[in-house]
Amino acid sequence: MKKVILADHLLVTSVIIIVGFSACKKQINKTSAQTTVESRSVAFRNVYVNATGICDHPFNEAAVLAEGYTKQFEDNFDTDLSKWNVWTGGAFNNELQYYKADNMEIQNGNLVITARKETVTGATNPFDATPKTFNYTSGRIECKTNISASTATPKVRIVARVKLASGYGMWPAFWSYGDPWPTQGEIDIIEARGQDPFKYQTNYFYGRAANRNLVKNQVGFITSSVDLTTCYHVYEMIWSQNSLTSLLDGKVIETKTGGYIPNLFGKTERIVLNLAVGGNFFSNLNTSQITTGSMYVDFVKVFTSN
């Protein structure tokens, strides 16, 4: 996911409904003594996983409900985006796109987020109205229903069926976060690079002060057996008090424990879907090679369990 210098996706004010609750981080100040001292107590480790993807895998909701989960949120993208807040403006992480509603549409029961090469002028980001020229546009939405793993709902299961965007410089993401970042935490279920269609990453962030992330080297580097951009796959994250468990196409592929994961318990986040263009997520990016692409989302569901 993000480099050490990043503070992931920002946010737009969201309406809270609650189950318990982005990826557009702000720049992180890494110089504080608090960050240095507290980070030493965390086990630093990135994880590399080989996973078996199943093209157009169906989601077995009945099996999830049979495990004792209750469905709290669902959007099958049949009609509109009324369950989401639409981001308008630039973002962070040195990303190149301007987000606008025109880059998102409902097609045959799917949300399609498309990155286009076009020149527009707009606000630098939601906190800076300074006009800026962008050479790309794309889309980002943030759920109005918040989620939280807490004593009331100790497990939150976040699910989406997605066909990732292909294309050099494309950065599709499915994640959750809360404000002020990262005091409410951030959970990255998918972050992918369009030029690496067999790979994606998981991660999380947390800090006790705004813009000061304490989490390092907790990335899950997932390599799938099949191309993730040619068909739909089911991505899940189970958020509980002491773990973050990732599933791909119905199979557990990675579990994060320890570190600051217990600090996320009781925090409130909102789910985000977006397609960024370029930015700090890429190393040695050649902007002249950036193409365009589309991210397809069949549905988003949230389940909770006691």
Side-chain angles (χ1 to χ4, degrees):
M1 284 209 54
K2 285 54 186 174
K3 303 281 185 182
V4 178
I5 60 171
L6 300 183
D8 240 316
H9 317 358
L10 222 210
L11 63 189
V12 171
T13 302
S14 159
V15 177
I16 297 179
I17 295 181
I18 282 200
V19 180
F21 136 46
S22 123
C24 235
K25 285 90 175 169
K26 294 182 269 186
Q27 199 70 22
I28 297 177
N29 179 351
K30 288 291 183 181
T31 61
S32 87
Q34 180 187 38
T35 298
T36 302
V37 172
E38 294 195 69
S39 295
R40 288 175 183 162
S41 64
V42 178
F44 299 156
R45 56 152 183 80
N46 291 325
V47 174
Y48 295 81
V49 177
N50 290 322
T52 301
I54 303 172
C55 189
D56 289 331
H57 182 70
F59 176 60
N60 191 343
E61 181 173 316
V64 172
L65 296 174
E67 292 179 26
Y69 284 93
T70 300
K71 184 161 59 179
Q72 300 289 351
F73 173 83
E74 177 177 45
D75 196 345
N76 293 300
F77 300 110
D78 292 324
T79 55
D80 55 35
L81 294 176
S82 59
K83 297 180 180 181
W84 304 81
N85 289 318
V86 176
W87 182 296
T88 300
F92 305 90
N93 307 309
N94 292 315
E95 297 161 26
L96 304 176
Q97 80 289 331
Y98 180 87
Y99 286 126
K100 59 192 184 78
D102 290 348
N103 291 65
M104 294 178 290
E105 57 183 328
I106 303 297
Q107 294 182 358
N108 301 317
N110 296 284
L111 167 65
V112 184
I113 304 176
T114 300
R116 302 187 180 102
K117 185 171 176 57
E118 58 181 341
T119 302
V120 300
T121 299
T124 298
N125 62 56
F127 299 95
D128 183 356
T130 305
K132 179 180 176 180
T133 298
F134 298 82
N135 293 320
Y136 297 88
T137 61
S138 193
R140 170 173 167 161
I141 55 173
E142 304 196 349
C143 193
K144 295 177 181 178
T145 300
N146 290 351
I147 60 173
S148 177
S150 64
T151 53
T153 54
K155 284 186 179 181
V156 175
R157 189 164 183 161
I158 313 163
V159 187
R161 192 167 183 261
V162 180
K163 180 165 65 173
L164 295 179
S166 63
Y168 186 87
M170 297 294 99
W171 179 2
F174 168 42
W175 51 291
S176 63
Y177 82 115
D179 288 321
W181 188 92
T183 62
Q184 293 295 308
E186 174 181 328
I187 300 171
D188 295 324
I189 305 163
I190 308 172
E191 285 197 298
R193 299 175 179 86
Q195 60 263 44
D196 294 321
F198 289 81
K199 299 178 180 179
Y200 71 97
Q201 296 177 207
T202 65
N203 205 350
Y204 80 96
F205 294 82
Y206 172 73
R208 293 188 173 90
N211 302 322
R212 294 188 178 181
N213 173 51
L214 297 174
V215 181
K216 297 180 181 179
N217 300 326
Q218 297 293 307
V219 182
F221 294 95
I222 314 301
T223 299
S224 168
S225 60
V226 297
D227 188 328
L228 300 171
T229 68
T230 59
C231 52
Y232 285 90
H233 295 272
V234 177
Y235 301 87
E236 302 180 65
M237 179 70 76
I238 301 174
W239 172 16
S240 65
Q241 182 169 8
N242 296 307
S243 64
L244 295 171
T245 302
S246 298
L247 295 85
L248 174 64
D249 293 333
K251 296 181 180 179
V252 173
I253 56 172
E254 180 212 4
T255 300
K256 301 182 194 295
T257 58
Y260 291 101
I261 289 175
N263 295 83
L264 302 181
F265 197 68
K267 305 302 183 184
T268 301
E269 303 186 4
R270 57 184 168 276
I271 296 170
V272 184
L273 294 162
N274 69 285
L275 176 57
V277 179
N280 297 339
F281 188 53
F282 299 86
S283 299
N284 302 315
L285 188 72
N286 184 343
T287 56
S288 68
Q289 295 182 19
I290 293 177
T291 57
T292 56
S294 295
M295 174 183 180
Y296 295 78
V297 186
D298 184 13
F299 62 74
V300 174
K301 302 175 190 283
V302 177
F303 303 84
T304 62
S305 174
N306 294 325

